[in-house]
Amino acid sequence: MMIESPQNDKIKYLVRLISDNRFRKKSGVFTVEGKQENERALHFGFEVQEFFICESIFNEDFPKGKISLVSENLYEKISYRGTSEGIIGIFKAKTNSLKDFKPKADSSVIVVESVEKPGNLGAILRSCEAFGIDAVIITDPKVDFFNPNVIRSSVGCLFGMNVFQSDNEELYEFLLQNNYPIFTTLMDESAEDLQTRDFRQKSALLFGTEHSGLSDFWIGKGANTLIPMAGTIDSLNLSNAVAISCYEILRQKRA
């Protein structure tokens, strides 16, 4: 039977998961919209609870699992991205502990402190996955990792990444114990250009918030590093800065 009413209990539950961060965290599940994103979630072992599919939009074989069919009119109302490929999945959330992370000898990690914008976090995850970063560690996050905009902006890269949450003290201890050279990005005249740093071996590159950069906690705790720029502007969008840095890390590893 096809669901057509937004007053259906399943639809009310789905919409609340999409729109309410607190409810999503309390429920321990999250929503995934789009064909590629759902495929990546399944591929990387996330457990699906149910799919909501609009047959007139989703022109693929149905995935395995519980399926509820919805009308096109209803799908347009409930989907986060409009008529995007006709599939929304509900998956169980996973939690990863930094204590369980076993770094490789040449492990490269990106650390972002107190990231606030879901779109920025998603773009960061996409760049890190594309350029082979071993892990992304978020300290004191202000955004839910499973926010629909994080998943959309990362194109599902969230699901295949080592993504950890920490506070600054725990992270600093972890980096010291695992012999990570630390590279900070504080606005300081003593900073050296990104290309002069050695990222061929193990490294941790740290970025701060979109509006104020790294906190004072990190002063004196790493080799300060900045991206060289030729224009009059003195800063870049956070996700752009991470993408440029990730490319430099990969370039050095392949040189």
Side-chain angles (χ1 to χ4, degrees), residues 111-197:
V111 177
V112 184
E113 183 182 47
S114 302
V115 62
E116 298 171 316
K117 299 178 181 178
N120 264 352
L121 178 54
I124 287 167
L125 291 168
R126 186 173 183 176
S127 294
C128 288
E129 201 279 343
F131 295 120
I133 299 300
D134 199 27
V136 178
I137 304 169
I138 313 297
T139 65
D140 304 316
K142 309 298 182 186
V143 62
D144 175 19
F145 293 174
F146 295 110
N147 181 296
N149 203 27
V150 173
I151 296 169
R152 178 180 69 171
S153 300
S154 75
V155 199
C157 288
L158 166 69
F159 305 128
M161 288 290 298
N162 287 316
V163 183
F164 302 98
Q165 178 176 332
S166 177
D167 57 40
N168 284 331
E169 290 80 4
E170 179 191 18
L171 171 64
Y172 185 53
E173 186 65 26
F174 172 83
L175 295 177
L176 292 179
Q177 288 179 353
N178 288 277
N179 300 311
Y180 274 98
I182 298 172
F183 299 94
T184 55
T185 54
L186 295 153
M187 295 296 290
D188 189 300
E189 293 181 357
S190 66
E192 293 188 15
D193 284 357
L194 183 73
Q195 296 99 321
T196 67
R197 300 301 191 187

Side-chain angles (χ1 to χ4, degrees), residues 55-106:
E55 280 188 288
S56 60
I57 302 173
F58 186 73
N59 299 314
E60 306 283 343
D61 293 334
F62 285 179
K64 294 180 180 179
K66 184 178 180 181
I67 291 173
S68 289
L69 299 178
V70 299
S71 67
E72 186 169 344
N73 183 57
L74 179 59
Y75 186 82
E76 291 176 358
K77 292 179 180 178
I78 64 176
S79 62
Y80 186 73
R81 296 156 53 187
T83 55
S84 55
E85 301 177 306
I87 182 169
I88 302 173
I90 298 178
F91 288 81
K92 290 186 178 180
K94 290 183 181 180
T95 56
N96 297 323
S97 172
L98 194 56
K99 296 177 181 178
D100 298 326
F101 179 43
K102 306 300 180 185
K104 300 180 294 185
D106 64 345

